[in-house]
Amino acid sequence: MRSGVLRRRLHHGDVDGRRNENCETSGLDGLDEPLLGNHNYDDKHSEGQMLEEIWDEEQKKENLHWIFLLSNLITQWAQWIANIVLGSGSFIARLLPLSSNTQNGPNWKLIAPALSPLQEERLRNLQKRLGVPFDGSRLEHQDALKQLWRLAYPNRELPSLKSELWKDMGWQGPDPSTDFRGGGFISLENLIFFAKKYPEPFQRLLHKQDGNRADWEYPFAVAGINISFMLVQMLDLQSGKPSSVAGIRFLELLGEDEMAFDNLYCVAFQMMDALWLVKRASYMEFNDVLKSTRKQLEREFSLEDVSSVKDLPAYNLLRR
């Protein structure tokens, strides 16, 4: 299945549609408008599709729906318990200084605990990666693009760096380097990591193999760039030291796994696609789906028994 040409470019801003002038050091583009474009399907169901195949597709969709119902139930239950424990008069609540008057939601600003030397080192390394812009003139970056193509299409000939064939992967035009703009090299690294670490889910998402797809689909590669940026915002990585609940929890995961950000990216991409199917979304609704993805991830980060990315309920989406 191939992505069509996008007619408009993404602009700088955050996923809520507001300008974000504090994230320039991350080198990542944001979203301030829906993704717009067109999409042509090569593999729509034909009228003569076998009944067994239709039934199997419906079963997959139903299973996906129940996975998300269960995930939401777990996170809502955990938050209900947390609200009781962290009530305004509780001892624990008095130990957690907040930057706002509200004590509900995943966007609390806390006094971040002291980091271990290992956490500090890994955070510095990650923030260095965030600061590297994509440069189409650098041989290393060109080679990375070529590597992504080979991973995505192992049986196809590698095109030139400027070719209409790149649109098949969901780039906006024949030159992928123009799509990064301020998107940062890390967003390309994330895609490569996904293709290498979880090849089967990567291929399913690339070729839109799960569920009943919309007539106007999101472009795979451009969506990946925006997921990278969404995670940077959610985890408060543009600041020197994250102080949001999600950011602090992420630092704990980073202490256990140096590639926690890349693994979380894969979970987020899979979750975004699953929500896309559950919501029966189309192209103009991409921003809304991305916001829902962020909210669900923040809920799962608030769970108490999460010590690694693999402990997140949504990680199971990568294993089905």
Side-chain angles (χ1 to χ4, degrees):
M1 190 173 301
R2 301 186 301 175
S3 298
V5 182
L6 300 184
R7 303 302 181 191
R8 296 173 63 186
R9 303 282 182 178
L10 298 176
H11 300 296
H12 295 284
D14 65 18
V15 294
D16 295 322
R18 300 185 298 271
R19 285 303 219 195
N20 192 321
E21 298 177 354
N22 298 322
C23 301
E24 294 178 357
T25 57
S26 71
L28 290 172
D29 261 344
L31 295 169
D32 62 1
E33 63 177 293
L35 290 170
L36 299 176
N38 202 350
H39 189 92
N40 295 318
Y41 279 81
D42 294 331
D43 58 346
K44 287 192 173 201
H45 294 306
S46 66
E47 293 182 1
Q49 185 181 28
M50 296 178 62
L51 182 60
E52 291 84 353
E53 293 177 339
I54 297 176
W55 171 253
D56 183 60
E57 199 65 44
E58 290 300 319
Q59 287 293 103
K60 288 182 179 179
K61 187 173 182 179
E62 182 178 352
N63 290 340
L64 187 63
H65 177 72
W66 282 109
I67 287 174
F68 264 92
L69 284 179
L70 180 60
S71 176
N72 274 312
L73 181 62
I74 293 173
T75 53
Q76 288 173 11
W77 177 83
Q79 285 184 320
W80 177 71
I81 295 296
N83 287 337
I84 294 175
V85 175
L86 298 177
S88 59
S90 73
F91 174 74
I92 296 178
R94 294 195 295 271
L95 296 180
L96 296 176
L98 306 181
S99 64
S100 65
N101 293 328
T102 179
Q103 291 181 343
N104 294 316
N107 292 319
W108 298 342
K109 291 292 184 177
L110 307 179
I111 297 177
L115 301 182
S116 69
L118 180 61
Q119 286 174 312
E120 289 182 346
E121 179 184 1
R122 289 180 174 178
L123 178 59
R124 281 196 304 270
N125 291 340
L126 177 56
Q127 290 177 330
K128 284 181 181 178
R129 291 175 62 195
L130 296 176
V132 178
F134 182 86
D135 185 350
S137 65
R138 291 182 58 176
L139 184 60
E140 175 189 0
H141 293 194
Q142 294 176 11
D143 288 342
L145 268 177
K146 294 175 183 178
Q147 182 184 14
L148 178 62
W149 178 274
R150 293 189 183 99
L151 291 167
Y153 305 112
N155 298 320
R156 293 177 60 179
E157 183 178 353
L158 177 68
S160 63
L161 291 175
K162 293 183 180 181
S163 169
E164 294 292 324
L165 293 176
W166 287 100
K167 297 178 185 178
D168 293 355
M169 196 185 293
W171 300 101
Q172 296 184 100
D175 183 3
S177 66
T178 62
D179 286 338
F180 289 96
R181 301 174 69 204
F185 185 57
I186 193 170
S187 56
L188 178 55
E189 290 180 317
N190 291 154
L191 284 167
I192 292 173
F193 180 88
F194 193 4
K196 293 172 69 175
K197 184 71 176 291
Y198 306 100
E200 292 184 9
F202 177 89
Q203 289 293 330
R204 289 201 311 267
L205 294 183
L206 172 64
H207 297 290
K208 309 292 173 63
Q209 293 174 345
D210 290 340
N212 295 323
R213 312 305 303 198
D215 291 331
W216 209 1
E217 275 289 321
Y218 67 84
F220 176 80
V222 174
I225 292 175
N226 286 283
I227 289 171
S228 295
F229 178 73
M230 179 272 288
L231 289 177
V232 172
Q233 286 191 309
M234 185 189 83
L235 302 176
D236 197 22
L237 293 175
Q238 70 272 20
S239 62
K241 188 176 181 181
S243 57
S244 66
V245 169
I248 292 174
R249 292 302 302 274
F250 173 74
L251 292 178
E252 297 175 12
L253 307 189
L254 194 62
E256 299 295 325
D257 176 14
E258 187 174 9
M259 304 306 293
F261 183 83
D262 301 79
N263 279 304
L264 182 61
Y265 170 88
C266 302
V267 172
F269 209 143
Q270 184 70 69
M271 177 188 285
M272 185 279 294
D273 187 76
L275 284 170
W276 179 272
L277 294 175
V278 169
K279 291 173 177 287
R280 300 177 183 271
S282 188
Y283 197 64
M284 296 293 289
E285 300 167 288
F286 178 81
N287 273 17
D288 291 336
V289 175
L290 192 60
K291 291 173 186 176
S292 296
T293 302
R294 172 172 174 167
K295 289 178 181 177
Q296 179 62 22
L297 282 173
E298 287 173 330
R299 292 190 193 104
E300 297 195 8
F301 262 81
S302 70
L303 296 175
E304 187 172 341
D305 296 331
V306 173
S307 58
S308 71
V309 173
K310 293 182 179 180
D311 292 331
L312 296 170
Y315 181 79
N316 292 320
L317 293 170
L318 288 170
R319 301 171 58 187
R320 56 185 186 83

